[in-house]
Amino acid sequence: MILTPFLLLVLSLFTSSHTQAPLESPPNILFLIADDWSYPHAGVYGDQVVRTPTFDRLAAEGALFTNAYTASPSCSPSRASILTGRYPHENESGGNLWSEWPAQYPTYVSLLEEMGYFTGLTRKGWGPGDFKISGLEHNPAGKSYSDFAEFLKNRPDGAPFTFWFGSSDPHREYIPNTGIQTGTKLEDVVVPGFFPDNDCVRNDILDYYFEIERFDRECGQLIAMLEQIGELDNTIIVMTSDNGMPFPRAKANLYDYGTRMPLAIRWPKKVKPGTVIHDFVSFVDFAPSFLDAAEKSPENMSGLSLWAFMDGESLDRDQVFLERERHANVRKGDLSFPMRAVRTQQFLYIWNPMPERNPAGDPSVHQSVGQYGDVDHSITKFLIMEMEGKTAADQPDYFSLAFGARPEEELYDVVSDPYQLNNLAAQSNFADIKKELRQQLLDWMEATGDPRFENPKSTYWDELRYTPDYQMKDTDVAKQIQDYRIKPPFGPDAKDGIPCQSSNNQ
C-alpha cells in the first residue's frame, strides 16, 4: 500500500494524539476551617496536651506554617477575606461581624464555578451575616450540603470540586468537663500569661482542647473519603482556623492569640512532605492560590499565590498586616473599636484610632452578648471580671489586660514578650522602631484604600447594619462562678465536683 501525503498527515496526527501525556485534571480543593482555634494548639507545634493527629499528618505530608495570620480576628471578616482575597476594609460591609455580604466582589468559589468546578459546603461557611440581601441564592462559600458524602454523591462525573468544611468547633459554648473527662490533666496545661493560672481556667482550656480534637477527628474522616475515591493526591487540602481562641485578649484582638493561626497544606504536586514555612502568610493569600492552581489569574485581589513560595521562592514579605472593626454590637451607639496593626518577626505595632472607646465592649450590655461583649462568656472571663481592683502586686493586671482602656499606640517585642503584656510604645528607646512600623502601616493603608487612612475617626463601620435583631441581658457573674464545678472522672470529689478557687488565688 502506498501512503499518500494526506494519509501520512492523518497517521502522524493520530500517532501524536496517542503518545502525548494526558492533560492533568484540575486539582480539587478541600478547605477545612475551625471556628476559634489559635496557634500553637496542635501536637506538631509542640503542645503536649491537645491531640491533633489529622493536622499533624497534613503537616508531615505537606507544609506546616508557623507564621500564618488571619486578616481579622473575627468570623465574618476573616472568612470574607479568605473568599475574596481582599483585606477586610477592602470588603466594605464585609469588614464587620454579622454583616451584609459584599456581593460586588467575586470569590474564588464563584470564579472556579464559572470554570466548571462543582462547589459546596457543610455547616458554617461565610458568616455570621446576611448574604441573601445581597442577591445570593446560597452562601458565598458554596451551596449547602448535609455532609461531604452527600456532596460527593451529587458531584458530576469527572468534575473538579471545591468543598468548604466549616466546623463550629472550638467555638463556645462548651459543656464543662468534656476535656478532663477524656483523661487530660489540669497540671499539663500551659496557661497563657494574660490569664490567671488556676484550676478552673485550666479546666476551661481543656474543654477548648476537647473541641479542637473533635474538629481534627472530623477532618480525618473527610480525608479518608478522598482516599477511598482515589483523589487524595489530586486534592489541595488546607486545614486552619478563622480566628483565635474564644478567651479574653485572644479572639477579636490583634495580639497573637487572636490572629496567629494553625495552618497546614497538603498538595503533593507542589508541596514536598515535611516542608516548614516560617515566612509570613496572610489569609488573603488563599483565594489567589486556589485560582492559580486552577490556572486562572486572580484579579483585584490583594493576596499572593503561595505555590512558587512552596518551591523555595521568596514572597518578599517581611511583615503581615492585621485589622478589625465592629465585632459584636456591644457599645452604646453600635460603635466599633477599630484597630490596625503590623506584625514583623520581632515586633507587633497596633494603632487604636479611637482609644476613647471600650476595647472589649461596654461594662453593661448594649445589645448583644453581655458585659464586655467582645469577649465570649466563659469561666475564664467571669473570674477575670471578678478581679477588678484586686490584682496582687506580683501579678499582671488581668482585668486591665482583658477589659481595660488601651492607648492609641501599642508596641510589643514578641520575641522577649510572647504574650504581649509589656507595651513599649511610650519608651523613648523604641521611638525609632515605632516610627518605622507606624509608617509601614500607613503606607499599606494608603495603598489598599483604607478609609481610616484619610479619616481615622470614620464612622463608616459604625453605621452599617448589624443583622441580628435581639436584646440580651447582663449575666450574673457571681452565680456563674458559684455554679461552675470541675468534675474529673475519678476521685472522692467527682460526685459534686470541685468549686472554683478564689479568682485571684494563683
Side-chain angles (χ1 to χ4, degrees), residues 444-487:
W444 166 76
M445 292 172 65
E446 182 179 23
T448 56
D450 190 337
R452 292 205 184 278
F453 177 77
E454 295 290 346
N455 181 11
K457 302 290 186 180
S458 171
T459 59
Y460 171 76
W461 285 281
D462 300 337
E463 297 163 6
L464 292 170
R465 172 177 165 236
Y466 186 74
T467 54
D469 183 17
Y470 52 71
Q471 178 62 53
M472 299 187 72
K473 297 180 180 180
D474 283 344
T475 298
D476 186 339
V477 173
K479 186 176 188 305
Q480 291 288 330
I481 295 174
Q482 181 181 2
D483 290 347
Y484 190 87
R485 293 289 186 275
I486 303 173
K487 296 182 180 180

mmCIF file of all heavy atoms in Angstrom, residues 444-487:
data_model
loop_
_atom_site.group_PDB
_atom_site.id
_atom_site.type_symbol
_atom_site.label_atom_id
_atom_site.label_comp_id
_atom_site.label_asym_id
_atom_site.label_seq_id
_atom_site.Cartn_x
_atom_site.Cartn_y
_atom_site.Cartn_z
ATOM 1 N N TRP A 444 0.722 50.905 53.890
ATOM 2 C CA TRP A 444 -0.183 49.815 53.492
ATOM 3 C C TRP A 444 -1.632 50.297 53.454
ATOM 4 O O TRP A 444 -2.375 49.973 52.512
ATOM 5 C CB TRP A 444 -0.034 48.658 54.468
ATOM 6 C CG TRP A 444 -1.116 47.623 54.368
ATOM 7 C CD1 TRP A 444 -1.239 46.677 53.396
ATOM 8 C CD2 TRP A 444 -2.208 47.427 55.264
ATOM 9 N NE1 TRP A 444 -2.355 45.897 53.642
ATOM 10 C CE2 TRP A 444 -2.967 46.339 54.776
ATOM 11 C CE3 TRP A 444 -2.615 48.063 56.447
ATOM 12 C CZ2 TRP A 444 -4.113 45.878 55.431
ATOM 13 C CZ3 TRP A 444 -3.759 47.609 57.094
ATOM 14 C CH2 TRP A 444 -4.495 46.533 56.585
ATOM 15 N N MET A 445 -2.041 51.062 54.446
ATOM 16 C CA MET A 445 -3.404 51.573 54.474
ATOM 17 C C MET A 445 -3.690 52.454 53.256
ATOM 18 O O MET A 445 -4.752 52.354 52.634
ATOM 19 C CB MET A 445 -3.648 52.350 55.769
ATOM 20 C CG MET A 445 -3.649 51.471 57.021
ATOM 21 S SD MET A 445 -3.721 52.443 58.564
ATOM 22 C CE MET A 445 -5.340 53.203 58.409
ATOM 23 N N GLU A 446 -2.729 53.283 52.899
ATOM 24 C CA GLU A 446 -2.912 54.148 51.731
ATOM 25 C C GLU A 446 -2.974 53.312 50.456
ATOM 26 O O GLU A 446 -3.839 53.544 49.590
ATOM 27 C CB GLU A 446 -1.775 55.159 51.647
ATOM 28 C CG GLU A 446 -1.912 56.132 50.476
ATOM 29 C CD GLU A 446 -0.790 57.147 50.408
ATOM 30 O OE1 GLU A 446 0.303 56.869 50.956
ATOM 31 O OE2 GLU A 446 -1.006 58.228 49.820
ATOM 32 N N ALA A 447 -2.082 52.354 50.328
ATOM 33 C CA ALA A 447 -2.002 51.553 49.107
ATOM 34 C C ALA A 447 -3.246 50.700 48.892
ATOM 35 O O ALA A 447 -3.627 50.424 47.747
ATOM 36 C CB ALA A 447 -0.761 50.663 49.151
ATOM 37 N N THR A 448 -3.895 50.285 49.969
ATOM 38 C CA THR A 448 -5.072 49.417 49.862
ATOM 39 C C THR A 448 -6.381 50.177 50.012
ATOM 40 O O THR A 448 -7.455 49.565 50.076
ATOM 41 C CB THR A 448 -5.007 48.297 50.915
ATOM 42 O OG1 THR A 448 -4.876 48.880 52.226
ATOM 43 C CG2 THR A 448 -3.834 47.361 50.650
ATOM 44 N N GLY A 449 -6.309 51.502 50.068
ATOM 45 C CA GLY A 449 -7.528 52.307 50.095
ATOM 46 C C GLY A 449 -8.313 52.230 51.379
ATOM 47 O O GLY A 449 -9.546 52.317 51.369
ATOM 48 N N ASP A 450 -7.632 52.087 52.492
ATOM 49 C CA ASP A 450 -8.315 52.018 53.789
ATOM 50 C C ASP A 450 -8.931 53.377 54.120
ATOM 51 O O ASP A 450 -8.215 54.382 54.200
ATOM 52 C CB ASP A 450 -7.309 51.614 54.870
ATOM 53 C CG ASP A 450 -7.967 51.282 56.204
ATOM 54 O OD1 ASP A 450 -9.091 51.741 56.458
ATOM 55 O OD2 ASP A 450 -7.327 50.567 57.001
ATOM 56 N N PRO A 451 -10.241 53.470 54.339
ATOM 57 C CA PRO A 451 -10.862 54.755 54.692
ATOM 58 C C PRO A 451 -10.257 55.404 55.925
ATOM 59 O O PRO A 451 -10.300 56.624 56.058
ATOM 60 C CB PRO A 451 -12.324 54.385 54.920
ATOM 61 C CG PRO A 451 -12.551 53.160 54.102
ATOM 62 C CD PRO A 451 -11.246 52.402 54.176
ATOM 63 N N ARG A 452 -9.683 54.616 56.799
ATOM 64 C CA ARG A 452 -9.101 55.198 58.023
ATOM 65 C C ARG A 452 -7.758 55.870 57.757
ATOM 66 O O ARG A 452 -7.233 56.534 58.655
ATOM 67 C CB ARG A 452 -8.967 54.143 59.108
ATOM 68 C CG ARG A 452 -10.317 53.678 59.623
ATOM 69 C CD ARG A 452 -10.270 53.133 61.026
ATOM 70 N NE ARG A 452 -11.584 52.627 61.410
ATOM 71 C CZ ARG A 452 -12.578 53.375 61.862
ATOM 72 N NH1 ARG A 452 -12.410 54.676 62.010
ATOM 73 N NH2 ARG A 452 -13.739 52.827 62.169
ATOM 74 N N PHE A 453 -7.216 55.723 56.574
ATOM 75 C CA PHE A 453 -6.010 56.482 56.249
ATOM 76 C C PHE A 453 -6.348 57.960 56.110
ATOM 77 O O PHE A 453 -5.644 58.816 56.649
ATOM 78 C CB PHE A 453 -5.379 55.959 54.961
ATOM 79 C CG PHE A 453 -4.178 56.751 54.534
ATOM 80 C CD1 PHE A 453 -2.950 56.587 55.156
ATOM 81 C CD2 PHE A 453 -4.277 57.697 53.516
ATOM 82 C CE1 PHE A 453 -1.845 57.335 54.777
ATOM 83 C CE2 PHE A 453 -3.182 58.445 53.116
ATOM 84 C CZ PHE A 453 -1.962 58.267 53.755
ATOM 85 N N GLU A 454 -7.422 58.248 55.391
ATOM 86 C CA GLU A 454 -7.838 59.646 55.207
ATOM 87 C C GLU A 454 -8.585 60.178 56.411
ATOM 88 O O GLU A 454 -8.473 61.352 56.759
ATOM 89 C CB GLU A 454 -8.721 59.766 53.955
ATOM 90 C CG GLU A 454 -8.004 59.448 52.647
ATOM 91 C CD GLU A 454 -6.985 60.509 52.263
ATOM 92 O OE1 GLU A 454 -7.017 61.613 52.848
ATOM 93 O OE2 GLU A 454 -6.143 60.229 51.379
ATOM 94 N N ASN A 455 -9.366 59.320 57.066
ATOM 95 C CA ASN A 455 -10.196 59.755 58.186
ATOM 96 C C ASN A 455 -10.131 58.723 59.307
ATOM 97 O O ASN A 455 -10.945 57.794 59.361
ATOM 98 C CB ASN A 455 -11.638 59.958 57.735
ATOM 99 C CG ASN A 455 -12.531 60.431 58.866
ATOM 100 O OD1 ASN A 455 -12.060 60.802 59.945
ATOM 101 N ND2 ASN A 455 -13.838 60.411 58.627
ATOM 102 N N PRO A 456 -9.161 58.865 60.210
ATOM 103 C CA PRO A 456 -9.017 57.874 61.283
ATOM 104 C C PRO A 456 -10.261 57.704 62.144
ATOM 105 O O PRO A 456 -10.477 56.634 62.714
ATOM 106 C CB PRO A 456 -7.846 58.423 62.112
ATOM 107 C CG PRO A 456 -7.070 59.267 61.154
ATOM 108 C CD PRO A 456 -8.089 59.882 60.250
ATOM 109 N N LYS A 457 -11.090 58.731 62.239
ATOM 110 C CA LYS A 457 -12.286 58.678 63.076
ATOM 111 C C LYS A 457 -13.540 58.327 62.269
ATOM 112 O O LYS A 457 -14.670 58.557 62.719
ATOM 113 C CB LYS A 457 -12.498 60.023 63.772
ATOM 114 C CG LYS A 457 -11.340 60.485 64.637
ATOM 115 C CD LYS A 457 -11.175 59.637 65.893
ATOM 116 C CE LYS A 457 -10.098 60.216 66.811
ATOM 117 N NZ LYS A 457 -9.933 59.395 68.046
ATOM 118 N N SER A 458 -13.370 57.757 61.100
ATOM 119 C CA SER A 458 -14.511 57.407 60.252
ATOM 120 C C SER A 458 -15.540 56.577 61.024
ATOM 121 O O SER A 458 -15.196 55.678 61.802
ATOM 122 C CB SER A 458 -14.042 56.613 59.030
ATOM 123 O OG SER A 458 -15.132 56.099 58.311
ATOM 124 N N THR A 459 -16.821 56.875 60.784
ATOM 125 C CA THR A 459 -17.900 56.113 61.423
ATOM 126 C C THR A 459 -18.558 55.144 60.432
ATOM 127 O O THR A 459 -19.660 54.642 60.687
ATOM 128 C CB THR A 459 -18.962 57.069 61.989
ATOM 129 O OG1 THR A 459 -19.491 57.881 60.921
ATOM 130 C CG2 THR A 459 -18.362 57.970 63.067
ATOM 131 N N TYR A 460 -17.883 54.874 59.321
ATOM 132 C CA TYR A 460 -18.470 54.027 58.278
ATOM 133 C C TYR A 460 -18.928 52.684 58.847
ATOM 134 O O TYR A 460 -20.066 52.247 58.637
ATOM 135 C CB TYR A 460 -17.457 53.811 57.143
ATOM 136 C CG TYR A 460 -17.895 52.776 56.138
ATOM 137 C CD1 TYR A 460 -18.863 53.068 55.193
ATOM 138 C CD2 TYR A 460 -17.348 51.487 56.148
ATOM 139 C CE1 TYR A 460 -19.282 52.108 54.266
ATOM 140 C CE2 TYR A 460 -17.754 50.530 55.234
ATOM 141 C CZ TYR A 460 -18.722 50.848 54.295
ATOM 142 O OH TYR A 460 -19.142 49.901 53.399
ATOM 143 N N TRP A 461 -18.062 51.988 59.579
ATOM 144 C CA TRP A 461 -18.406 50.662 60.078
ATOM 145 C C TRP A 461 -19.360 50.720 61.260
ATOM 146 O O TRP A 461 -20.033 49.730 61.565
ATOM 147 C CB TRP A 461 -17.143 49.885 60.425
ATOM 148 C CG TRP A 461 -16.429 49.397 59.190
ATOM 149 C CD1 TRP A 461 -16.747 48.307 58.431
ATOM 150 C CD2 TRP A 461 -15.301 49.989 58.550
ATOM 151 N NE1 TRP A 461 -15.888 48.184 57.370
ATOM 152 C CE2 TRP A 461 -14.977 49.201 57.410
ATOM 153 C CE3 TRP A 461 -14.509 51.110 58.822
ATOM 154 C CZ2 TRP A 461 -13.914 49.490 56.557
ATOM 155 C CZ3 TRP A 461 -13.455 51.406 57.972
ATOM 156 C CH2 TRP A 461 -13.165 50.611 56.851
ATOM 157 N N ASP A 462 -19.471 51.870 61.933
ATOM 158 C CA ASP A 462 -20.469 52.036 62.986
ATOM 159 C C ASP A 462 -21.883 52.059 62.414
ATOM 160 O O ASP A 462 -22.839 51.624 63.064
ATOM 161 C CB ASP A 462 -20.263 53.355 63.746
ATOM 162 C CG ASP A 462 -18.916 53.454 64.422
ATOM 163 O OD1 ASP A 462 -18.309 52.404 64.703
ATOM 164 O OD2 ASP A 462 -18.463 54.585 64.669
ATOM 165 N N GLU A 463 -22.009 52.613 61.225
ATOM 166 C CA GLU A 463 -23.326 52.876 60.644
ATOM 167 C C GLU A 463 -23.873 51.716 59.830
ATOM 168 O O GLU A 463 -25.039 51.734 59.412
ATOM 169 C CB GLU A 463 -23.245 54.136 59.776
ATOM 170 C CG GLU A 463 -22.891 55.385 60.587
ATOM 171 C CD GLU A 463 -22.415 56.543 59.726
ATOM 172 O OE1 GLU A 463 -22.468 56.409 58.476
ATOM 173 O OE2 GLU A 463 -21.990 57.574 60.285
ATOM 174 N N LEU A 464 -23.076 50.701 59.602
ATOM 175 C CA LEU A 464 -23.544 49.540 58.851
ATOM 176 C C LEU A 464 -24.519 48.715 59.690
ATOM 177 O O LEU A 464 -24.434 48.667 60.917
ATOM 178 C CB LEU A 464 -22.359 48.666 58.443
ATOM 179 C CG LEU A 464 -21.405 49.284 57.411
ATOM 180 C CD1 LEU A 464 -20.152 48.427 57.283
ATOM 181 C CD2 LEU A 464 -22.091 49.425 56.053
ATOM 182 N N ARG A 465 -25.428 48.064 59.006
ATOM 183 C CA ARG A 465 -26.449 47.254 59.678
ATOM 184 C C ARG A 465 -25.812 46.097 60.438
ATOM 185 O O ARG A 465 -24.932 45.413 59.932
ATOM 186 C CB ARG A 465 -27.418 46.717 58.621
ATOM 187 C CG ARG A 465 -28.428 45.699 59.132
ATOM 188 C CD ARG A 465 -29.374 45.285 58.015
ATOM 189 N NE ARG A 465 -30.115 44.080 58.346
ATOM 190 C CZ ARG A 465 -30.134 42.976 57.613
ATOM 191 N NH1 ARG A 465 -29.453 42.935 56.471
ATOM 192 N NH2 ARG A 465 -30.841 41.913 57.980
ATOM 193 N N TYR A 466 -26.278 45.917 61.661
ATOM 194 C CA TYR A 466 -25.933 44.736 62.458
ATOM 195 C C TYR A 466 -27.098 43.775 62.288
ATOM 196 O O TYR A 466 -28.215 44.055 62.726
ATOM 197 C CB TYR A 466 -25.725 45.131 63.920
ATOM 198 C CG TYR A 466 -25.228 44.031 64.824
ATOM 199 C CD1 TYR A 466 -23.914 43.597 64.762
ATOM 200 C CD2 TYR A 466 -26.070 43.432 65.762
ATOM 201 C CE1 TYR A 466 -23.442 42.600 65.602
ATOM 202 C CE2 TYR A 466 -25.607 42.429 66.612
ATOM 203 C CZ TYR A 466 -24.285 42.022 66.524
ATOM 204 O OH TYR A 466 -23.823 41.026 67.360
ATOM 205 N N THR A 467 -26.884 42.650 61.621
ATOM 206 C CA THR A 467 -28.002 41.884 61.078
ATOM 207 C C THR A 467 -28.908 41.207 62.108
ATOM 208 O O THR A 467 -30.111 41.119 61.868
ATOM 209 C CB THR A 467 -27.507 40.853 60.058
ATOM 210 O OG1 THR A 467 -26.498 40.033 60.645
ATOM 211 C CG2 THR A 467 -26.916 41.566 58.841
ATOM 212 N N PRO A 468 -28.420 40.688 63.242
ATOM 213 C CA PRO A 468 -29.371 40.079 64.187
ATOM 214 C C PRO A 468 -30.171 41.140 64.927
ATOM 215 O O PRO A 468 -29.699 42.255 65.147
ATOM 216 C CB PRO A 468 -28.473 39.295 65.149
ATOM 217 C CG PRO A 468 -27.169 39.973 65.098
ATOM 218 C CD PRO A 468 -27.028 40.496 63.698
ATOM 219 N N ASP A 469 -31.386 40.780 65.307
ATOM 220 C CA ASP A 469 -32.278 41.709 65.996
ATOM 221 C C ASP A 469 -32.722 41.082 67.310
ATOM 222 O O ASP A 469 -33.722 40.374 67.383
ATOM 223 C CB ASP A 469 -33.483 42.033 65.111
ATOM 224 C CG ASP A 469 -34.412 43.053 65.763
ATOM 225 O OD1 ASP A 469 -33.966 43.716 66.706
ATOM 226 O OD2 ASP A 469 -35.574 43.159 65.320
ATOM 227 N N TYR A 470 -31.941 41.310 68.344
ATOM 228 C CA TYR A 470 -32.308 40.798 69.660
ATOM 229 C C TYR A 470 -31.701 41.691 70.725
ATOM 230 O O TYR A 470 -30.820 42.503 70.444
ATOM 231 C CB TYR A 470 -31.837 39.356 69.860
ATOM 232 C CG TYR A 470 -30.367 39.131 69.566
ATOM 233 C CD1 TYR A 470 -29.374 39.619 70.407
ATOM 234 C CD2 TYR A 470 -29.963 38.416 68.439
ATOM 235 C CE1 TYR A 470 -28.026 39.411 70.133
ATOM 236 C CE2 TYR A 470 -28.628 38.205 68.163
ATOM 237 C CZ TYR A 470 -27.667 38.703 69.010
ATOM 238 O OH TYR A 470 -26.341 38.498 68.734
ATOM 239 N N GLN A 471 -32.141 41.547 71.938
ATOM 240 C CA GLN A 471 -31.619 42.313 73.052
ATOM 241 C C GLN A 471 -31.281 41.352 74.178
ATOM 242 O O GLN A 471 -32.162 40.667 74.711
ATOM 243 C CB GLN A 471 -32.630 43.355 73.547
ATOM 244 C CG GLN A 471 -32.153 44.150 74.758
ATOM 245 C CD GLN A 471 -30.890 44.962 74.483
ATOM 246 O OE1 GLN A 471 -30.864 45.724 73.522
ATOM 247 N NE2 GLN A 471 -29.884 44.806 75.314
ATOM 248 N N MET A 472 -30.010 41.281 74.525
ATOM 249 C CA MET A 472 -29.577 40.383 75.586
ATOM 250 C C MET A 472 -29.489 41.129 76.916
ATOM 251 O O MET A 472 -29.615 42.354 76.976
ATOM 252 C CB MET A 472 -28.236 39.748 75.227
ATOM 253 C CG MET A 472 -28.301 38.913 73.955
ATOM 254 S SD MET A 472 -26.791 37.994 73.599
ATOM 255 C CE MET A 472 -26.856 36.725 74.865
ATOM 256 N N LYS A 473 -29.280 40.383 77.983
ATOM 257 C CA LYS A 473 -29.209 40.951 79.325
ATOM 258 C C LYS A 473 -27.837 40.674 79.931
ATOM 259 O O LYS A 473 -27.106 39.796 79.478
ATOM 260 C CB LYS A 473 -30.305 40.355 80.213
ATOM 261 C CG LYS A 473 -31.724 40.669 79.743
ATOM 262 C CD LYS A 473 -32.754 40.049 80.681
ATOM 263 C CE LYS A 473 -34.162 40.361 80.215
ATOM 264 N NZ LYS A 473 -35.176 39.753 81.119
ATOM 265 N N ASP A 474 -27.523 41.412 80.996
ATOM 266 C CA ASP A 474 -26.288 41.155 81.718
ATOM 267 C C ASP A 474 -26.328 39.778 82.372
ATOM 268 O O ASP A 474 -27.394 39.268 82.746
ATOM 269 C CB ASP A 474 -26.057 42.224 82.788
ATOM 270 C CG ASP A 474 -25.551 43.536 82.211
ATOM 271 O OD1 ASP A 474 -25.095 43.526 81.053
ATOM 272 O OD2 ASP A 474 -25.613 44.564 82.909
ATOM 273 N N THR A 475 -25.153 39.197 82.521
ATOM 274 C CA THR A 475 -25.013 37.884 83.144
ATOM 275 C C THR A 475 -24.729 38.037 84.628
ATOM 276 O O THR A 475 -24.002 38.941 85.053
ATOM 277 C CB THR A 475 -23.858 37.119 82.476
ATOM 278 O OG1 THR A 475 -24.166 36.933 81.096
ATOM 279 C CG2 THR A 475 -23.641 35.765 83.123
ATOM 280 N N ASP A 476 -25.286 37.148 85.428
ATOM 281 C CA ASP A 476 -24.993 37.109 86.860
ATOM 282 C C ASP A 476 -23.648 36.408 87.030
ATOM 283 O O ASP A 476 -23.566 35.178 87.115
ATOM 284 C CB ASP A 476 -26.099 36.365 87.606
ATOM 285 C CG ASP A 476 -25.927 36.419 89.122
ATOM 286 O OD1 ASP A 476 -24.796 36.665 89.590
ATOM 287 O OD2 ASP A 476 -26.919 36.203 89.833
ATOM 288 N N VAL A 477 -22.592 37.205 87.060
ATOM 289 C CA VAL A 477 -21.243 36.661 87.061
ATOM 290 C C VAL A 477 -20.967 35.848 88.323
ATOM 291 O O VAL A 477 -20.396 34.754 88.262
ATOM 292 C CB VAL A 477 -20.220 37.801 86.905
ATOM 293 C CG1 VAL A 477 -18.801 37.280 87.084
ATOM 294 C CG2 VAL A 477 -20.379 38.458 85.538
ATOM 295 N N ALA A 478 -21.375 36.361 89.481
ATOM 296 C CA ALA A 478 -21.120 35.653 90.739
ATOM 297 C C ALA A 478 -21.772 34.269 90.733
ATOM 298 O O ALA A 478 -21.178 33.284 91.199
ATOM 299 C CB ALA A 478 -21.629 36.477 91.913
ATOM 300 N N LYS A 479 -22.979 34.179 90.197
ATOM 301 C CA LYS A 479 -23.664 32.890 90.148
ATOM 302 C C LYS A 479 -22.969 31.938 89.185
ATOM 303 O O LYS A 479 -22.861 30.732 89.463
ATOM 304 C CB LYS A 479 -25.122 33.075 89.737
ATOM 305 C CG LYS A 479 -25.952 31.784 89.807
ATOM 306 C CD LYS A 479 -27.403 32.048 89.492
ATOM 307 C CE LYS A 479 -28.252 30.804 89.747
ATOM 308 N NZ LYS A 479 -27.774 29.629 89.024
ATOM 309 N N GLN A 480 -22.486 32.463 88.043
ATOM 310 C CA GLN A 480 -21.765 31.621 87.097
ATOM 311 C C GLN A 480 -20.544 31.000 87.749
ATOM 312 O O GLN A 480 -20.251 29.815 87.561
ATOM 313 C CB GLN A 480 -21.354 32.448 85.878
ATOM 314 C CG GLN A 480 -22.502 32.898 84.997
ATOM 315 C CD GLN A 480 -23.100 31.767 84.200
ATOM 316 O OE1 GLN A 480 -22.422 30.815 83.842
ATOM 317 N NE2 GLN A 480 -24.385 31.861 83.904
ATOM 318 N N ILE A 481 -19.821 31.805 88.524
ATOM 319 C CA ILE A 481 -18.625 31.285 89.210
ATOM 320 C C ILE A 481 -19.017 30.284 90.283
ATOM 321 O O ILE A 481 -18.403 29.225 90.429
ATOM 322 C CB ILE A 481 -17.813 32.454 89.811
ATOM 323 C CG1 ILE A 481 -17.270 33.349 88.687
ATOM 324 C CG2 ILE A 481 -16.681 31.923 90.680
ATOM 325 C CD1 ILE A 481 -16.578 34.597 89.177
ATOM 326 N N GLN A 482 -20.075 30.608 91.042
ATOM 327 C CA GLN A 482 -20.522 29.727 92.117
ATOM 328 C C GLN A 482 -20.973 28.366 91.582
ATOM 329 O O GLN A 482 -20.725 27.330 92.202
ATOM 330 C CB GLN A 482 -21.676 30.383 92.875
ATOM 331 C CG GLN A 482 -22.215 29.564 94.037
ATOM 332 C CD GLN A 482 -23.382 30.245 94.731
ATOM 333 O OE1 GLN A 482 -23.817 31.326 94.327
ATOM 334 N NE2 GLN A 482 -23.905 29.622 95.774
ATOM 335 N N ASP A 483 -21.617 28.368 90.419
ATOM 336 C CA ASP A 483 -22.174 27.125 89.886
ATOM 337 C C ASP A 483 -21.147 26.260 89.162
ATOM 338 O O ASP A 483 -21.386 25.073 88.926
ATOM 339 C CB ASP A 483 -23.321 27.439 88.914
ATOM 340 C CG ASP A 483 -24.546 27.992 89.623
ATOM 341 O OD1 ASP A 483 -24.603 27.909 90.867
ATOM 342 O OD2 ASP A 483 -25.443 28.524 88.923
ATOM 343 N N TYR A 484 -20.008 26.846 88.789
ATOM 344 C CA TYR A 484 -19.028 26.108 87.993
ATOM 345 C C TYR A 484 -18.327 25.071 88.866
ATOM 346 O O TYR A 484 -17.861 25.374 89.968
ATOM 347 C CB TYR A 484 -18.005 27.073 87.390
ATOM 348 C CG TYR A 484 -17.096 26.448 86.362
ATOM 349 C CD1 TYR A 484 -17.480 26.379 85.027
ATOM 350 C CD2 TYR A 484 -15.853 25.917 86.710
ATOM 351 C CE1 TYR A 484 -16.654 25.818 84.060
ATOM 352 C CE2 TYR A 484 -15.024 25.353 85.762
ATOM 353 C CZ TYR A 484 -15.429 25.311 84.433
ATOM 354 O OH TYR A 484 -14.601 24.749 83.497
ATOM 355 N N ARG A 485 -18.233 23.852 88.370
ATOM 356 C CA ARG A 485 -17.570 22.775 89.099
ATOM 357 C C ARG A 485 -16.673 21.982 88.152
ATOM 358 O O ARG A 485 -17.045 21.695 87.015
ATOM 359 C CB ARG A 485 -18.590 21.808 89.716
ATOM 360 C CG ARG A 485 -19.445 22.413 90.831
ATOM 361 C CD ARG A 485 -18.609 22.658 92.084
ATOM 362 N NE ARG A 485 -19.412 23.092 93.215
ATOM 363 C CZ ARG A 485 -19.775 24.356 93.456
ATOM 364 N NH1 ARG A 485 -19.412 25.307 92.612
ATOM 365 N NH2 ARG A 485 -20.484 24.666 94.506
ATOM 366 N N ILE A 486 -15.487 21.637 88.649
ATOM 367 C CA ILE A 486 -14.613 20.721 87.920
ATOM 368 C C ILE A 486 -14.964 19.307 88.358
ATOM 369 O O ILE A 486 -14.974 19.002 89.556
ATOM 370 C CB ILE A 486 -13.127 21.009 88.223
ATOM 371 C CG1 ILE A 486 -12.781 22.452 87.879
ATOM 372 C CG2 ILE A 486 -12.236 20.048 87.449
ATOM 373 C CD1 ILE A 486 -11.388 22.852 88.301
ATOM 374 N N LYS A 487 -15.256 18.440 87.382
ATOM 375 C CA LYS A 487 -15.662 17.070 87.696
ATOM 376 C C LYS A 487 -14.778 16.080 86.965
ATOM 377 O O LYS A 487 -15.106 15.611 85.872
ATOM 378 C CB LYS A 487 -17.131 16.856 87.317
ATOM 379 C CG LYS A 487 -18.095 17.728 88.114
ATOM 380 C CD LYS A 487 -19.548 17.456 87.732
ATOM 381 C CE LYS A 487 -20.496 18.318 88.535
ATOM 382 N NZ LYS A 487 -21.920 18.071 88.176
#
